[in-house]
Amino acid sequence: MAFFFSTTTTNTLLPFLGLLSLFLLLPPLTTANHRPLDSTPLTFREAPAFRNGESCLSTTIHVAMTLDSNYLRGTMAAVLSILQHSTCPENVVFHFLYVKHEPEVFSSIKSTFPYLNFKVYRFDTKLVRGLISKSIRQALDQPLNYARIYLSDILPTEVRRLIYLDSDLVIVDDIAKLWGVDLKNKVLAAPEYCHANFTNYFTELFWLDPELPKTFSGRKPCYFNTGVMVIDVEKWRNENYTRKTEDWMIVQKQRRIYQLGSLPPFLLVLAGNIEPVDHRWNQHGLGGDNIEGKCRGLHPGPISLLHWSGKGKPWLRLDSRKPCNVDHLWAPYDLYRSSKHSFEE
């Protein structure tokens, strides 16, 4: 069941959510890398076991996410939200990509979701060595942020279609609905935002170049967020979209044509040539902008997925006792043991 928010509903909730924040207890302080200062491994409560309904078929839904200690708390909440709102949670198979082997991270997944069907894959950072350019926020420069480009090379060939999700989101609807999107022979489907000023995603150097903007000839490019994507993995592999994306990363190293990490190469290759998905599947930007991460409200309309893209992350703002109102929508999925605002069995 999806959420529906209107401007009136959101405004009505503001006083209540603001009052609720006063009763949150203060967990351990965190550093900029989202870990407790004492470096003690995060511990999580075991999630309930979610089982398939009687009407479930044998369809497998493949979900890919990155996995590391810095965003583990977000990943746990995302997984819980997917399972909790799925009619057929046992049909979901998770594919986690990691860079650094962190045994406590893997053991946390197993102990928190002992019934979870998942696989882990190491992302070789050599694939992006020399290709990553400094962006406006350090978190966007991490090699694991680029792993989504290489999914067709990392995952087994039997995974022909998948949903890629960031770790700073929760789903409040049945993920099978997103899985069922008709790609219509496109390699990728995602919500498009054609009202956004597309020119802002590239530098003046790019737009003034006599040749580079011609890459958009014959298509109407619109911004889309790469934190929620339905991908035809087989088509991506066969048509070599990884190489096409890498080519633009090479141009970026030479010319400085953008400033936002792994997003612009996707836009350069695919903007205007994806299958649009209903906006309800990515209520993004809840983390604010990439510089200050100031609070943002919800857009009116139905919501199936809440996404804290941007600098501000809900677990950090809740722990600091300076949450945004929307952060209380993430809190019920928080399985962190020291959290007092989280989901209870």
Side-chain angles (χ1 to χ4, degrees):
M1 176 174 153
F3 289 169
F4 186 95
F5 284 92
S6 66
T7 303
T8 303
T9 304
T10 305
N11 290 340
T12 303
L13 287 174
L14 293 181
F16 169 75
L17 293 176
L19 181 62
L20 179 61
S21 68
L22 298 177
F23 293 93
L24 300 179
L25 297 181
L26 182 63
L29 293 175
T30 58
T31 60
N33 70 353
H34 310 170
R35 296 292 302 279
L37 287 177
D38 61 6
S39 72
T40 303
L42 299 179
T43 56
F44 301 87
R45 290 180 298 280
E46 181 178 328
F50 297 96
R51 302 302 183 189
N52 282 0
E54 293 182 359
S55 61
C56 291
L57 303 176
S58 58
T59 303
T60 300
I61 299 174
H62 295 282
V63 176
M65 303 178 71
T66 57
L67 185 64
D68 70 86
S69 56
N70 293 339
Y71 280 80
L72 182 59
R73 194 164 160 189
T75 301
M76 292 292 198
V79 171
L80 175 62
S81 72
I82 292 169
L83 298 176
Q84 184 174 335
H85 294 284
S86 293
T87 302
C88 306
E90 292 178 283
N91 288 2
V92 183
V93 177
F94 290 87
H95 303 269
F96 295 118
L97 285 70
Y98 70 93
V99 166
K100 181 181 178 182
H101 181 71
E102 300 173 290
E104 71 275 10
V105 172
F106 302 143
S107 63
S108 291
I109 292 287
K110 292 178 180 178
S111 61
T112 305
F113 302 101
Y115 49 85
L116 193 68
N117 188 353
F118 75 95
K119 300 176 182 179
V120 295
Y121 311 83
R122 180 177 176 272
F123 175 60
D124 187 354
T125 58
K126 293 179 182 178
L127 292 171
V128 290
R129 182 177 296 171
L131 292 176
I132 297 178
S133 300
K134 184 176 178 59
S135 64
I136 61 174
R137 184 159 62 91
Q138 185 178 3
L140 301 177
D141 300 339
Q142 302 306 308
L144 197 55
N145 194 44
Y146 291 79
R148 69 196 80 190
I149 297 171
Y150 298 91
L151 290 168
S152 67
D153 301 320
I154 298 170
L155 301 185
T157 54
E158 57 263 28
V159 179
R160 303 176 64 179
R161 176 190 177 107
L162 64 81
I163 297 172
Y164 176 84
L165 298 174
D166 276 348
S167 296
D168 53 357
L169 54 78
V170 293
I171 289 183
V172 294
D173 203 345
D174 193 339
I175 197 172
K177 298 177 183 178
L178 181 59
W179 179 258
V181 166
D182 184 357
L183 284 168
K184 298 179 182 177
N185 204 36
K186 299 292 178 63
V187 71
L188 188 150
E192 278 187 320
Y193 303 90
C194 295
H195 64 278
N197 188 344
F198 192 77
T199 60
N200 290 340
Y201 294 97
F202 303 95
T203 63
E204 186 177 6
L205 180 64
F206 173 84
W207 293 113
L208 292 178
D209 188 278
E211 296 298 327
L212 295 179
K214 291 180 180 179
T215 189
F216 297 119
S217 297
R219 47 185 170 134
K220 182 183 177 182
C222 296
Y223 162 73
F224 66 93
N225 181 277
T226 56
V228 180
M229 302 183 289
V230 182
I231 303 173
D232 183 332
V233 184
E234 189 173 42
K235 186 177 183 68
W236 183 284
R237 182 186 300 112
N238 292 341
E239 299 184 16
N240 209 359
Y241 278 92
T242 296
R243 179 58 185 272
K244 294 175 183 177
T245 308
E246 286 180 332
D247 286 345
W248 281 110
M249 293 167 68
I250 293 171
V251 174
Q252 161 72 355
K253 293 293 287 188
Q254 300 167 345
R255 305 287 300 277
R256 191 68 180 171
I257 58 175
Y258 56 79
Q259 298 178 339
L260 279 174
S262 63
L263 168 64
F266 272 88
L267 298 181
L268 287 161
V269 175
L270 289 164
N273 194 29
I274 69 170
E275 181 59 28
V277 176
D278 194 295
H279 287 182
R280 68 188 300 152
W281 284 104
N282 197 351
Q283 175 91 208
H284 68 289
L286 301 183
D289 58 38
N290 282 297
I291 306 298
E292 299 182 59
K294 292 182 178 179
C295 294
R296 289 181 178 174
L298 295 168
H299 300 295
I303 297 173
S304 295
L305 187 150
L306 297 153
H307 187 188
W308 279 261
S309 57
K311 185 178 181 180
K313 301 307 171 189
W315 55 93
L316 295 181
R317 297 194 297 210
L318 286 163
D319 287 357
S320 70
R321 299 183 68 178
K322 297 178 181 179
C324 298
N325 291 312
V326 293
D327 297 340
H328 298 288
L329 300 174
W330 179 89
Y333 303 97
D334 187 9
L335 290 168
Y336 180 42
R337 278 193 180 277
S338 295
S339 173
K340 302 299 183 183
H341 46 258
S342 54
F343 178 90
E344 298 290 347
E345 294 183 33

